[in-house]
Amino acid sequence: MTPPPPPPHPDSLVVLFGATAGALGAKLGSEERELILLVWQVVDLRSRKVGTLHKSLVRADDSELSEQCREASGLSAEGLGRAEPLDKVLQQFSQLVLGDVELLGGGSYTLCTDGPLLVRQVLHPEASRKNLVLPGSFFSFYDLRREFHAQRPEAGPARDLTVAAMAQNLGLETDAAEDDFGVWEVKTMVTIICHLLSEQNHSFTEPEIVKCKYDSGPCSKAEVVDNETVVRARGLPWQSSDQDIARFFKGLNIAKGGVALCLNAQGRRNGEALVRFVDSEQRDLALERHKHHMGARYIEVYKASGEEFLKIAGGTSHEVAQFLSREDQVIIRMRGLPFTATPADVLAFLGPECPVTGGHEGLLFVRYPDGRPTGDAFALFACEELAQSALRKHKGILGKRYIELFRSTAAEVQQVLNRYTSSPLIPTLPAPLIPVLPAPFPLAGAGVRDCVRLRGLPYTASIDDILGFLGEAAGDIRPHGVHMVLNQQGRPSGDAFIQMKSADRALVAAQRCHKKMMKERYVEVFPCSGEEMSLVLMGGTLSRSGMSPPPCKLPCLSPPTYAAFQTATAVIPTEATAALYPPSALLPAARAPSAPTPVTYYPPPATQLYMNYTTYYPSPPVSPTTVGYLTAPSAAVAPAPASVLQQPGALVRMQGLPYTAGVKDILSFFQGYQLAPDDYANLVPVGDPPRPVLQAPKEWVCL
């Protein structure tokens, strides 16, 4: 139920004071402790008359008092145990206030406190946690400190004022003998109000408003967001919606569309959200809720910047703006849709019991820049009941796929669309300082089963665990020959491939280690070929029934718009360049396996590479830590012509990749410009700054 708007000129003020079982004063409500005391008195603004002073204890679920509260209030856990619970006290409060207002002449009334903490940080959060509905009078209040500051600005900032300081500034006499906790504060506040009315002719006209509902909506990248109004909430349950986060910050005014759920590299929620408030004061109060609880989880709250918020929630798509232009709609995200699904299929899946707002216009399908569907869509529903009805279809079947449904937000819509539809330009690569070494151990010919596949590995298995599992056979592993297979979320899949020095060594390793135990699990070991290994690493599957190709096996294409690389000033002698970089290893005329190349040192620091490369390689190769590396003899490196790059667009530069970038991100970036399976011999690692020997690369060159 929406509370009525506050009266522009109230007839009475209800002076209110409260205390919790935790900290008092400026830290009231910061410890998430329950309310234990309410003291109030009605003041008629027309006649300056006051009503009866009331004091009510509140029974708390946790009656243990802090030392500060026990000393200041003189209360005990036994006394609080005989009090009424909060819902009963609120009912009594409303009845007594209405009675006092009627005795003083009737009319409207508004609360008046000595700051926003009691209403915003105590009453609203506790009522939300206990699923209580606060009376409409608690959604607006006057902050006596602000009203006093408007009349006496020389007294100092409003946030630093206290009841005692205001009384002293006005030269008012207070009852120093009053030792009843809370009573002195209310009596003194009433005296200050009467003085402002009579001596200062003050008028109470603009109360503070507490929003009763979070308003969702789009956010434009062109919008200016103040850095002092944004916080980052961390540790959220993954199923949290924007309404859940708004409920956590109940009592504080969140800006329209001010909740932005953050997604990880796989497009799933990562337990963080950026929240934008209407002003810096609300943001400061939100920071006081650091490590408050949402259910059984505590939530960390930190400062954030407006730039971070716009990066997550901002968008410029006209389609998204039109989709989010409808007010008061509940957004549901659908994930896992068949690529052939149409709006009619989705509406039939949801059924007539949960109609989508606007029919087809209430659906937004997420697509790649080339128009291919991603399997994600968003739907609008007119009310919470319809949205809940739709969520009951979570993991329902559409076609041959089960569909996941989640509560979503306008910011998540923007973020998902930004993720899939933004197509960064690939810059033309400047001339490299030096060409690059070929891979030290290219794949063997087709059909040679010189690799082994490990299946059923523990998800916590490391490279050292695999080496220990193989035992003596670990000495037969090629450098860079251990390949952990990751799933679509970037986590271990339980599979790994090992490149051995020969097919005989691979067979012996498989016979010795098949169904050996590793961390209470037996591991299956099979010999396989390099072609089968590469197919799995490229996204295909390998089972007893045979091999399945990757889902998007496209021919290797060279973008025609890429310019040829310009010749740059050589930084090493031409003879050395020709010796280090045989063109047959970089751009072979025919797609044939290259001969094994010995491991060599990187060039000296004066000629180090400065470029950041990568390639589509689902599981980055790693090297056994027990295998040594030797320097190649000078006679093993054959001379070759100095010209290396002969085809325009043969080399692609990817600069500034995030450390969390996954295979799907790189594949989506290239939009099909990937290597054919028989071009794996042309994957060339580019290492970090110079190292004494060739080790596991962190970047790759795609030729």
Side-chain angles (χ1 to χ4, degrees), residues 494-640:
D495 281 21
F497 286 92
I498 313 294
Q499 287 181 275
M500 309 298 289
K501 292 182 178 178
S502 66
D504 295 337
R505 303 287 179 88
L507 180 61
V508 171
Q511 292 174 343
R512 290 181 178 178
C513 301
H514 184 57
K515 291 195 174 182
K516 279 180 59 177
M517 302 298 293
M518 180 190 295
K519 296 184 178 180
E520 301 181 354
R521 296 192 61 169
Y522 74 85
V523 180
E524 299 174 289
V525 184
F526 310 100
C528 67
S529 67
E531 180 184 5
E532 293 170 333
M533 177 192 73
S534 299
L535 191 67
V536 173
L537 295 181
M538 289 294 292
T541 58
L542 181 63
S543 62
R544 292 185 177 89
S545 60
M547 298 183 294
S548 299
C552 53
K553 182 179 178 183
L554 300 175
C556 185
L557 303 176
S558 294
T561 56
Y562 293 169
F565 302 116
Q566 303 297 325
T567 303
T569 304
V571 295
I572 59 175
T574 305
E575 296 79 10
T577 304
L580 284 174
Y581 310 106
S584 59
L586 290 174
L587 298 173
R591 292 179 177 176
S594 303
T597 306
V599 181
T600 60
Y601 285 103
Y602 273 125
T607 59
Q608 67 179 4
L609 289 174
Y610 68 94
M611 292 171 291
N612 183 23
Y613 294 103
T614 188
T615 187
Y616 174 51
Y617 204 91
S619 57
V622 289
S623 302
T625 56
T626 59
V627 178
Y629 300 92
L630 302 176
T631 308
S634 57
V637 183

Side-chain angles (χ1 to χ4, degrees), residues 319-320 323-324 360-366 376-379 413 417:
E319 184 182 13
V320 176
F323 176 76
L324 298 175
H360 291 191
E361 296 180 357
L363 295 175
L364 177 64
F365 286 85
V366 184
D376 280 26
F378 294 92
V413 175
L417 265 292

Side-chain angles (χ1 to χ4, degrees), residues 312-334:
I312 299 298
T316 57
S317 171
H318 175 71
E319 184 182 13
V320 176
Q322 187 176 5
F323 176 76
L324 298 175
S325 61
R326 297 177 177 86
E327 298 288 342
D328 300 328
Q329 298 292 314
V330 183
I331 306 174
I332 297 296
R333 180 181 179 184
M334 307 177 69

Side-chain angles (χ1 to χ4, degrees), residues 285-323:
L285 294 178
L287 292 173
E288 293 295 330
R289 300 195 187 184
H290 179 60
K291 291 195 173 181
H292 284 202
H293 288 76
M294 179 185 290
R297 299 176 64 95
Y298 72 84
I299 309 300
E300 301 174 4
V301 183
Y302 304 100
K303 292 182 180 180
S305 67
E307 182 181 357
E308 291 177 285
F309 181 83
L310 285 178
K311 183 178 180 181
I312 299 298
T316 57
S317 171
H318 175 71
E319 184 182 13
V320 176
Q322 187 176 5
F323 176 76

Side-chain angles (χ1 to χ4, degrees), residues 392-475:
R392 296 189 188 100
K393 298 182 180 294
H394 178 59
K395 292 195 174 182
I397 302 298
L398 175 57
K400 295 183 179 180
R401 299 179 62 91
Y402 72 85
I403 311 302
E404 299 175 291
L405 283 84
F406 308 96
R407 284 289 300 265
S408 187
T409 67
E412 186 174 14
V413 175
Q414 295 277 22
Q415 193 175 354
V416 172
L417 265 292
N418 292 343
R419 174 184 176 83
Y420 284 111
T421 59
S422 58
S423 52
L425 299 176
I426 303 177
T428 302
L429 178 67
L433 294 179
I434 55 175
V436 190
L437 289 173
F441 283 96
L443 299 177
V448 179
R449 304 176 70 82
D450 61 341
C451 304
V452 293
R453 179 190 183 189
L454 277 62
R455 187 169 65 188
L457 291 169
Y459 294 137
T460 58
S462 63
I463 301 298
D464 291 335
D465 295 328
I466 293 177
L467 296 176
F469 171 80
L470 293 175
E472 296 179 358

Side-chain angles (χ1 to χ4, degrees), residues 194-214:
C194 293
H195 186 275
L196 292 177
L197 293 173
S198 58
E199 301 296 332
Q200 306 290 337
N201 197 25
H202 183 69
S203 177
F204 292 84
T205 56
E206 297 182 3
E208 291 194 27
I209 305 299
V210 180
K211 285 188 175 181
C212 61
K213 181 182 178 182
Y214 165 68

